[in-house]
Amino acid sequence: MGDNFDVIVVGAGLAGASAALRLAQGKANVLLIERGDEPGAKNLSGGILWGHDLDRLLPNWREEMPLERHIVSKRFGFLTRDRALSFEYEDAAWSKPPYNAHSVLRARTDAWLAKKAEEAGATVISQVPVEKLNIENGKVHGVVQGGEVVGAPVTIICDGTNSRTTLGTFIRPPQRLSEHHTELGIKEVFKLSKEEIDGRFHVAPGSGRAQEWVLSNLPDGIMAGGFLYTNADTISLGIIVNIASLKSQKMVSHDIIERFKSHPAIAPYLAGAEMVEYGAKLIADGQASAPAYLWGDGFMVCGDAAGFVFSNGILIQGMNYAIRSGILAAETALETLPKKDFSSAALGAYGQRLEAGHILSDFRKFRKVGKVKWNPRIYKNYPSVMTETFHEMMTERGQPKAHTGEIVKRTVKQGKVGRLRMLRDLYAAYKEL
Ligand SMILES: Cc1cc2nc3c(=O)[nH]c(=O)nc-3n(C[C@H](O)[C@H](O)[C@H](O)COP(=O)(O)OP(=O)(O)OC[C@H]3O[C@@H](n4cnc5c(N)ncnc54)[C@H](O)[C@@H]3O)c2cc1C
């Protein structure tokens, strides 16, 4: 069991690059392996980064990292065939350092973070897809590449949602991905000048807005949401579709994104913009692996590979958990290296850190959020009830006026959803979101 490195990190996304940087800062001999042409080349996020975990790695990251815009408002709404209803939260504090969140393009941020790891002393190699983990006597000991073992007493697995390296091993929980709670994310990036973006989204230079929409302009049964984020001189637009609902209908994901883009409330933002990037990726939100699969003899699992993605329909957060779990795994490895104990019991300190760092507790607390978010009535019935109610309240036709209560009674009846059912859904949202 020869050791080429102290620690091998598989995958240079935000989880892997954070782990490698923290290990290099702690003077460990670390190898970071990425399958893409370079770190970030294969990564996709909406993407709004809540990056305060980076404070622990690089205090000046906000000045140095290639960030797009700081987000000053968040809009959430519903799109029916030709109507839109939304609310927007704007906060003056978000316009001031240290800011709440930033829009990012992963090809830039991930490459930058991996470079920081390299500068700190990590060995970073790209264009190398790890074939499999090297498992000896039930323990992970590095990886197998090109038929040869690259050994290390600790391997940190950060290879994303559908973690190929853990597939078919004892590390991957049975039925790790449920299609009912797995989503397909598709994103397109459009080029637009900075000035056009400032004007169209009514933002000051450097500021940006984030929008998320429930798509109710799709065939019955399909459950999907859309997002629209401003970058420095591009716009990120995408959809997130529930896989089980997509399979049940005869519609391809391309048609869903086209309907989102051509909606009257969205199309003006894109007028004349040229698409410059396209990508698709799976999201297994709220499906954090059970502790038994997060660490063991010689290994720890971080980020998407561990299922650490949270989404409640209004926001999606995975990058923050990826960074935090990567740092926590690295700190666990730094603690165990001098003791030369890489057993499951010793690496169990990672579990304690995940608990103390609120990762496990967050996913426990919100484990039922998928049931609320993927309630078909949110996509089929409620948007039409709400937009019809506002339509009735806002349209003047010289007809007798009705009290709001009468309007709501009528639109709820038209929306074919019983009042009791609606109250139950509201209670579930109140309890689980
Ligand atoms: C459409 C969409 C929108 C999203 N929006 C947001 C958002 O706005 N905010 C947010 O916080 N999160 C968002 N997320 C979630 C976020 O993207 C992920 O949670 C985050 O990328 C996880 O980081 P990671 O490092 O764990 O995994 P990844 O970013 O997936 O990185 C995994 C890395 O491992 C590499 N790899 C894979 N297999 C191998 C192998 N065999 N050998 C070597 N390397 C390998 C990959 O190439 C990749 O670089 C979004 C996701 C999607 C799909």
Side-chain angles (χ1 to χ4, degrees):
M1 298 223 292
D3 288 340
N4 307 78
F5 293 90
D6 293 334
V7 182
I8 293 177
V9 181
V10 182
L14 288 176
S18 300
L21 173 55
R22 184 71 195 90
L23 283 159
Q25 287 172 337
K27 305 286 175 234
N29 181 14
V30 54
L31 170 67
L32 174 62
I33 312 178
E34 168 57 39
R35 69 174 170 175
D37 284 349
E38 57 179 296
K42 281 188 177 281
N43 299 1
L44 186 129
S45 274
I48 304 298
L49 171 70
W50 285 265
H52 73 265
D53 286 293
L54 287 167
D55 292 346
R56 292 171 62 183
L57 286 176
L58 300 160
N60 295 329
W61 67 272
R62 289 182 185 80
E63 288 78 50
E64 297 175 16
M65 196 176 200
L67 302 166
E68 299 298 312
R69 290 173 183 251
H70 59 265
I71 298 301
V72 295
S73 84
K74 184 97 181 167
R75 175 185 284 188
F76 174 74
F78 300 86
L79 297 181
T80 56
R81 198 167 55 88
D82 43 18
R83 294 172 181 167
L85 176 67
S86 66
F87 64 85
E88 185 159 11
Y89 178 71
E90 196 149 354
D91 192 330
W94 291 7
S95 302
K96 296 180 201 137
Y99 305 115
N100 178 49
H102 295 85
S103 53
V104 295
L105 291 167
R106 295 288 299 277
R108 294 180 188 164
T109 49
D110 293 20
W112 178 85
L113 199 59
K115 187 91 194 130
K116 286 284 173 195
E118 199 167 23
E119 285 166 9
T123 303
V124 182
I125 53 168
S126 300
Q127 301 177 357
V128 176
V130 167
E131 281 163 30
K132 56 181 183 174
L133 298 169
N134 178 44
I135 299 177
E136 297 174 13
N137 304 322
K139 298 177 182 168
V140 175
H141 194 89
V143 299
V144 179
Q145 193 49 52
E148 287 188 17
V149 173
V150 186
V154 181
T155 303
I156 301 184
I157 301 163
C158 307
D159 56 352
T161 306
N162 212 11
S163 173
R164 261 190 15 201
T165 53
T166 55
L167 204 65
T169 72
F170 61 89
I171 304 169
R172 188 97 186 239
Q175 296 172 334
R176 157 87 166 75
L177 301 183
S178 139
E179 65 175 17
H180 294 280
H181 292 201
T182 302
E183 297 133 37
L184 173 66
I186 300 180
K187 180 176 133 178
E188 297 179 353
V189 179
F190 293 86
K191 183 92 187 141
L192 210 57
S193 74
K194 285 188 167 79
E195 296 71 26
E196 277 292 336
I197 293 176
D198 294 348
R200 289 184 194 191
F201 288 85
H202 307 292
V203 282
S207 310
R209 294 190 196 274
Q211 304 185 2
E212 261 108 38
W213 299 92
V214 169
L215 304 184
S216 187
N217 58 343
L218 305 171
D220 278 1
I222 295 197
M223 297 188 281
F227 61 85
L228 183 65
Y229 303 144
T230 50
N231 303 318
D233 56 1
T234 55
I235 296 174
S236 292
L237 173 143
I239 53 162
I240 291 179
V241 198
N242 177 287
I243 300 241
S245 81
L246 190 62
K247 274 173 73 178
S248 70
Q249 300 295 320
K250 287 195 172 63
M251 191 171 199
V252 290
S253 47
H254 172 77
D255 294 334
I256 300 177
I257 203 163
E258 287 309 314
R259 288 218 196 173
F260 179 40
K261 284 191 311 200
S262 58
H263 191 279
I266 302 298
Y269 290 119
L270 301 175
E274 180 202 352
M275 204 221 292
V276 290
E277 213 182 296
Y278 175 92
K281 201 179 139 188
L282 285 183
I283 309 168
D285 78 81
Q287 297 187 64
S289 300
Y293 302 101
L294 293 173
W295 69 88
D297 291 322
F299 76 89
M300 288 172 274
V301 189
C302 306
D304 275 13
F308 296 152
V309 186
F310 170 80
S311 156
N312 60 7
I314 298 176
L315 46 82
I316 172 163
Q317 295 180 335
M319 291 189 263
N320 50 333
Y321 289 112
I323 295 166
R324 200 182 316 160
S325 58
I327 296 172
L328 297 178
E331 288 176 347
T332 307
L334 288 172
E335 188 179 77
T336 56
L337 280 168
K339 299 178 192 158
K340 298 197 186 316
D341 180 359
F342 311 107
S343 63
S344 182
L347 296 181
Y350 175 50
Q352 289 158 16
R353 285 182 161 89
L354 288 175
E355 201 64 69
H358 316 299
I359 297 186
L360 294 182
S361 54
D362 278 1
F363 285 97
R364 265 200 314 273
K365 189 188 269 179
F366 290 97
R367 68 190 182 285
K368 291 190 186 155
V369 78
K371 276 198 176 153
V372 176
K373 190 177 63 169
W374 296 123
N375 172 349
R377 289 178 291 283
I378 291 180
Y379 302 84
K380 184 172 184 271
N381 310 80
Y382 298 142
S384 58
V385 169
M386 287 187 285
T387 51
E388 186 60 24
T389 303
F390 274 82
H391 173 80
E392 288 297 307
M393 285 164 62
M394 307 281 174
T395 312
E396 166 59 36
R397 286 180 298 238
Q399 300 292 320
K401 292 208 181 305
H403 282 296
T404 307
E406 287 172 62
I407 298 174
V408 172
K409 219 165 144 186
R410 198 165 58 234
T411 54
V412 167
K413 201 169 169 199
Q414 280 167 3
K416 295 194 176 90
V417 43
R419 268 180 285 177
L420 195 60
R421 166 71 65 201
M422 212 163 135
L423 284 174
R424 276 203 196 122
D425 286 344
L426 265 173
Y427 179 69
Y430 159 80
K431 213 166 143 243
E432 307 298 346
L433 286 186

